Amino acid sequence: MPLLYRARCSVMIIFCALASLEAGAQPPPPTGDTARARADSGRQERNVNIGVSAGGPGADIALTPELERSAYRDPGARALVARARVARATHDSLLLGYEASSVERISVGARFREAGRDRLAMRGESAAKIRWQRGVGAHIEVQGARTTAPVVSSEVNPQYGTVIGSPSSIPYYPGREALWPMGDARMWKHPLATGAEAYYRYSTGDSIAFRLPGDRTIQLLEIRLEPREPRSDLVGGSFWFDRETAQLVRALYRPAVPLDLQANIGTSDGDNDAPGWLRPLIITVRSVSVEFGLHEGRWWLPRRQAAQAEAQVTFMRIPVTVEQRFTYSSVNAAEALPPIVATAPDPITEPRRAMGDSAWRRLPLEERSRLAREAAEARDRARKETCERSGFTTRVTVRDSVDIQIRVPCDSATLVNSPALPPSIFDESDNLDEGFDRDLLEAALGWSSRLGWGIGAPSFHYGVDLIRYNRIEGLSVGAMLQQRFGGAFTAELVGRLGVADLHPRGELTVSRTDAFRTLGISAYERLGVANEWGTPLAFGASLNALIFGRDEGLYYRATGMELYGRGLEGSLFSWRLFGEQHRALDVETDFSLARLINGNRFRDNIVAERGDLLGVGARLQGSLGVDPRRLRLLGDLRAEGATGDHDFAR
């Protein structure tokens, strides 16, 4: 259990790192009409300017008359956004309470190449009954919670952690930004915040109408959102509003550019930079989808929400999917909830909270370790005593000034086998995101999505992902200069030099990526590989060559250009059109640890004739099943052909 818990916490740093960018940012104190509105509505939404005042990688921009004038493409967009801002606060003041059920799934994968096969590293699921009431808070009763980490074990375990079945599972409460499945959107400038015209442009899009029982017709209007510049704290996409009430009904969006965390992680010497071996460290949120349902003919509350993201840490790719589904049994019911009594921090089980962060950091490391160890043991003892007495554990927390009480069954079988959860944690057919219109997603986040033009900040990186070893180049070290532009365009210049052949190689690529695919064009001189089996240029193959003297690659020099495309979801289909000149390469080094020990030498390289070729290649990768206890299938189909000085097909 501790191993699985640590694995879960490690991968969830992807979201924690995003949320940490907001630390220290506080909204301005309420004054005037804002203060009176909050007094009238009790615990009103406390972060109306949450997006603008929050922290982020870009500087805040003061709204000027010129920016406000140019923010709207048409008068209809200006009027709808103004109404939506009023409805956003009014909705909070009228909502008194609800009872709902939630089902949540977090899936974390892992792969070792950009276009490699995804492996399920960890998955967690939870189901809970949630009751929220204004002036009281939220009561959460966890009905099921389980986790599995197939990379460690095929077992399914109960989940007692603080992420699954946590406050992030609450569908809505005044002050929560419902645009982010993890319960917070403060890392982005909110498009409905006061003053957001400084960051976005708005235009009226399509409209949809549907009929409800009783002959009532609901009409939805679309606002197309365009960030003014390529910044990771700005988003672009499609927002749909109820025409009658101006309440948000659907949001489909993604950040304008990925988030580069290299400048947001401190090293031991105090520099605000990432260690070289961690480069690159990038988080790409591909899509966020939020859909609301109408209740009692009046309140739009979150029904489904999902996000897809990917973290790149050196050569590792970590895709993450968050899916949540909510169903409501009552809204604004008269049943009163019991008050939630907050508990003071216990110096035995919570020494850091009890003494405060400043006093905790002043303690010697050995003392902190001892206190943390003793606190964990005390919490385990307290939990066992509580479970023996009542069969449940209860904890109280606070989020956005909302008191939250969480009640979890102690019986692990109840948590793992709860009927409120999908039949199997490995069942991919039970897609919690099912129901989102693919055409709407494509229109909002595909090639037609509006991501503002401009020039972002360039980045330079080196690291393990750009180091390799083989018998042609010897130790080859590379570096990359990357420039992000608006419209989801990126330019990359990669250069490398091998210490054995001392021949410089490089590649210049311009690509465009939406939520579903990447299209790019490259000019290059690269080390070509005649055999793809074993991925000879991968990091693992380089270690094999350096340590054991086994280099399976069949290499040639390739100079030319290519146009390529590849998918980012489902079956990974990729293709390339290329024009290349091929030339032979000689073995330039025999060094390996195996040769120092027993004299092993690298084998000779293939003999290649010089030729100019024009060709096409395609590849289809797919997999079926993630349950390690059952049959799993993997398919990889490749084809390539070229003509010119020589003809070939494979």
Side-chain angles (χ1 to χ4, degrees):
M1 183 65 188
L3 179 59
L4 294 175
Y5 179 76
R6 292 190 185 98
R8 202 277 316 273
C9 293
S10 297
V11 295
M12 285 310 299
I13 194 174
I14 298 171
F15 294 106
C16 296
L18 283 171
S20 68
L21 296 180
E22 60 167 307
Q26 299 293 334
T31 57
D33 295 338
T34 302
R36 286 191 294 273
R38 292 179 183 178
D40 292 339
S41 60
R43 292 189 180 185
Q44 180 70 277
E45 177 185 14
R46 70 180 180 91
N47 286 335
V48 174
N49 293 322
I50 191 171
V52 176
S53 65
D60 289 346
I61 301 175
L63 180 62
T64 64
E66 175 59 27
L67 288 174
E68 186 175 11
R69 184 197 63 80
S70 62
Y72 298 96
R73 305 286 190 183
D74 56 86
R78 180 187 294 272
L80 184 55
V81 170
R83 292 178 58 216
R85 285 173 174 161
V86 175
R88 187 164 168 247
T90 305
H91 182 275
D92 275 352
S93 65
L94 297 177
L95 187 63
L96 301 179
Y98 59 80
E99 182 174 317
S101 298
S102 73
V103 180
E104 176 180 345
R105 170 182 284 183
I106 300 177
S107 301
V108 180
R111 66 175 184 268
F112 298 96
R113 288 177 292 158
E114 183 176 9
R117 175 173 67 96
D118 283 342
R119 296 166 173 84
L120 181 63
M122 187 281 296
R123 174 172 289 168
E125 292 180 332
S126 71
K129 180 180 179 181
I130 301 162
R131 294 178 297 165
W132 173 83
Q133 183 176 316
R134 181 181 297 277
V136 176
H139 288 254
I140 300 179
E141 183 174 342
V142 178
Q143 298 175 323
R146 61 193 180 191
T147 185
T148 184
V151 295
V152 178
S153 170
S154 61
E155 294 183 359
V156 179
N157 297 274
Q159 179 54 257
Y160 299 102
T162 58
V163 176
I164 304 295
S166 71
S168 66
S169 301
I170 302 176
Y172 192 76
Y173 52 80
R176 170 180 172 177
E177 287 299 343
L179 297 184
W180 177 237
M182 296 307 292
D184 213 330
R186 273 174 271 187
M187 72 287 292
W188 297 318
K189 307 296 186 185
H190 198 295
L192 295 182
T194 303
E197 290 89 346
Y199 306 96
Y200 296 106
R201 292 187 176 93
Y202 308 83
S203 61
T204 303
D206 295 332
S207 64
I208 298 175
F210 56 91
R211 189 178 298 276
L212 297 178
D215 292 333
R216 179 183 177 184
T217 299
I218 299 293
Q219 186 173 7
L220 306 183
L221 298 179
E222 179 191 17
I223 291 294
R224 294 175 180 171
L225 184 68
E226 176 187 340
R228 289 182 178 268
E229 55 183 307
R231 286 172 35 167
S232 61
D233 59 342
L234 303 184
V235 301
S238 175
F239 290 75
W240 294 78
F241 299 89
D242 182 350
R243 181 175 186 176
E244 180 181 352
T245 65
Q247 292 184 36
L248 183 65
V249 174
R250 178 186 290 125
L252 311 169
Y253 66 97
R254 65 190 180 105
V257 295
L259 175 63
D260 190 342
L261 288 180
Q262 292 179 9
N264 294 282
I265 295 182
T267 57
S268 59
D269 58 5
D271 293 334
N272 189 26
D273 197 11
W277 62 270
L278 274 180
R279 300 169 181 264
L281 186 56
I282 298 172
I283 295 177
T284 302
V285 179
R286 285 170 40 197
S287 66
V288 178
S289 308
V290 183
E291 186 178 275
F292 296 74
L294 183 63
H295 298 274
E296 306 296 331
R298 187 174 186 180
W299 289 278
W300 290 95
L301 295 173
R303 182 175 64 174
R304 292 188 185 97
Q305 46 193 23
Q308 291 184 317
E310 181 176 280
Q312 180 184 357
V313 183
T314 64
F315 56 85
M316 280 286 297
R317 307 282 176 144
I318 307 174
V320 179
T321 301
V322 180
E323 302 164 304
Q324 293 176 328
R325 181 179 62 205
F326 306 104
T327 56
Y328 299 82
S329 56
S330 65
V331 176
N332 272 16
E335 179 184 358
L337 294 179
I340 298 174
V341 180
T343 57
D346 187 337
I348 298 178
T349 60
E350 299 175 292
R352 182 168 184 171
R353 286 187 59 202
M355 67 177 60
D357 284 342
S358 298
W360 176 266
R361 285 193 293 266
R362 286 195 297 267
L363 293 177
L365 179 59
E366 296 79 4
E367 180 68 9
R368 279 183 284 171
S369 300
R370 183 186 64 81
L371 289 174
R373 183 173 60 255
E374 293 176 352
E377 295 173 352
R379 287 193 299 270
D380 287 341
R381 289 193 301 269
R383 179 180 176 275
K384 291 179 180 179
E385 293 173 359
T386 304
C387 287
E388 292 174 356
R389 184 171 60 253
S390 65
F392 293 87
T393 60
T394 303
R395 66 183 180 91
V396 175
T397 185
V398 178
R399 186 186 183 98
D400 291 335
S401 299
V402 176
D403 295 328
I404 301 171
Q405 178 178 289
I406 303 174
R407 190 167 180 254
V408 184
C410 297
D411 184 4
S412 60
T414 299
L415 290 172
V416 172
N417 302 313
S418 171
L421 293 173
S424 171
I425 195 172
F426 298 106
D427 188 2
E428 297 289 349
S429 64
D430 193 317
N431 187 359
L432 303 182
D433 189 27
E434 184 178 359
F436 283 114
D437 192 313
R438 171 69 185 214
D439 293 336
L440 289 176
L441 283 171
E442 184 77 28
L445 306 177
W447 293 127
S448 61
S449 60
R450 294 177 175 268
L451 294 177
W453 293 92
I455 300 178
S459 62
F460 174 80
H461 96 263
Y462 55 90
V464 178
D465 63 315
L466 291 173
I467 297 177
R468 67 191 187 203
Y469 186 84
N470 55 72
R471 66 187 187 277
I472 305 298
E473 301 171 301
L475 178 64
S476 177
V477 180
M480 181 177 72
L481 178 64
Q482 186 179 74
Q483 175 67 63
R484 298 193 184 276
F485 300 91
F489 283 93
T490 302
E492 293 181 349
L493 177 62
V494 179
R496 63 171 54 251
L497 181 67
V499 299
D501 63 352
L502 295 179
H503 183 83
R505 294 178 174 85
E507 186 166 345
L508 175 63
T509 301
V510 177
S511 62
R512 190 184 188 193
T513 301
D514 67 4
F516 311 101
R517 65 192 70 85
T518 293
L519 182 67
I521 185 171
S522 296
Y524 54 84
E525 179 171 313
R526 62 172 63 138
L527 190 64
V529 182
N531 63 315
E532 296 292 343
W533 186 260
T535 58
L537 298 179
F539 183 76
S542 297
L543 289 180
N544 198 33
L546 178 61
I547 298 174
F548 301 106
R550 296 181 58 86
D551 186 354
E552 304 296 338
L554 305 175
Y555 304 105
Y556 60 91
R557 181 182 300 173
T559 306
M561 296 185 66
E562 69 176 0
L563 177 67
Y564 69 89
R566 60 175 175 267
L568 298 177
E569 63 174 6
S571 298
L572 297 178
F573 177 73
S574 59
W575 56 269
R576 63 187 292 256
L577 302 175
F578 62 90
E580 292 180 342
Q581 182 183 86
H582 294 177
R583 284 176 287 179
L585 290 172
D586 296 326
V587 174
E588 300 290 347
T589 181
D590 277 320
F591 177 81
S592 69
L593 296 182
R595 188 189 176 196
L596 295 178
I597 297 173
N598 55 28
N600 283 356
R601 302 176 65 91
F602 288 117
R603 62 173 178 164
D604 292 335
N605 194 31
I606 57 172
V607 177
E609 296 184 12
R610 175 170 175 165
D612 296 321
L613 302 171
L614 183 65
V616 59
R619 181 175 184 178
L620 178 63
Q621 297 171 278
S623 61
L624 180 64
V626 295
D627 190 343
R629 302 165 300 184
R630 297 184 179 180
L631 177 67
R632 291 179 290 176
L633 300 177
L634 169 66
D636 191 350
L637 177 64
R638 283 175 281 191
E640 186 177 77
T643 186
D645 292 344
H646 311 285
D647 296 332
F648 79 88
R650 60 173 178 166

